[in-house]
Amino acid sequence: MDRTLMIIKPDAVKKNAVGDIIRRVEEKGFVVRELRMLSQTKEQARAFYAVHRERPFYEDLVDFMASGPCVPLVLERKDAVPFLREVVGATNPDEAGEGTIRKAHGSNIQNNAVHASDSAENAVAEISFYFN
Ligand code: CMP
């Protein structure tokens, strides 16, 4: 079975959407293998999103990810990485399809409720960022 990382971001935690988001991924056949809640420092958020450090939205993203608790989870399923990206929907909730998590819970392109790994290689690295 394949594994991927999802993070329920601070906006979704503040909206009390943790339970609904976990229900949605379980309903799609994912098994929750690891889960924790943490309040990230800006340094942790900077490190996690280092790939975006040259992008204009980087510092705002770091502030957002350090603005409250978030919930990283390891999810297992066949074809976990591409399948979770489908369930999550487009980065911009305005462009996310009906029935996706970002359509249901995202507010804007930054406060988009969840993160999902974008490749098998990144999934391995992102899982080890939060779980030993
Ligand atoms: P995520 O899938 O976690 O990957 C990078 C994050 O940067 C993205 O979700 C958004 O939360 C945030 N972000 C803010 N602005 C943009 C943008 N213009 N394009 C892509 N991501 C953005």
Side-chain angles (χ1 to χ4, degrees):
M1 277 304 166
D2 308 314
R3 290 183 173 201
T4 190
L5 183 88
M6 178 170 80
I7 306 172
I8 304 176
K9 295 184 179 182
D11 59 327
V13 174
K14 282 184 186 125
K15 284 175 59 184
N16 257 358
V18 172
D20 184 66
I21 291 170
I22 293 174
R23 180 190 62 75
R24 283 168 185 267
V25 294
E26 286 184 335
E27 210 169 71
K28 297 289 186 180
F30 286 96
V31 177
V32 177
R33 290 295 184 202
E34 306 269 6
L35 172 155
R36 59 188 286 221
M37 176 178 263
L38 76 159
S39 294
Q40 298 197 104
T41 63
K42 288 192 188 187
E43 288 62 39
Q44 285 173 308
R46 276 197 191 96
F48 183 82
Y49 279 117
V51 66
H52 294 304
R53 64 186 173 276
E54 306 297 338
R55 309 284 291 273
F57 58 79
Y58 181 60
E59 279 304 320
D60 285 344
L61 174 62
V62 166
D63 287 346
F64 164 57
M65 292 302 291
S67 68
C70 68
V71 180
L73 307 92
V74 176
L75 299 176
E76 189 174 85
R77 188 193 185 282
K78 184 172 180 294
D79 298 327
V81 172
F83 196 77
L84 184 64
R85 299 220 13 127
E86 275 180 38
V87 171
V88 158
T91 303
N92 186 344
D94 289 341
E95 293 162 15
E98 285 303 326
T100 63
I101 292 171
R102 283 173 172 157
K103 179 78 176 180
H105 295 297
S107 302
N108 55 55
I109 196 163
Q110 176 183 270
N111 296 21
N112 61 357
V114 288
H115 167 83
S117 304
D118 66 358
S119 68
E121 192 185 17
N122 284 342
V124 171
E126 292 180 358
I127 287 168
S128 66
F129 189 90
Y130 291 110
F131 303 96
N132 290 320

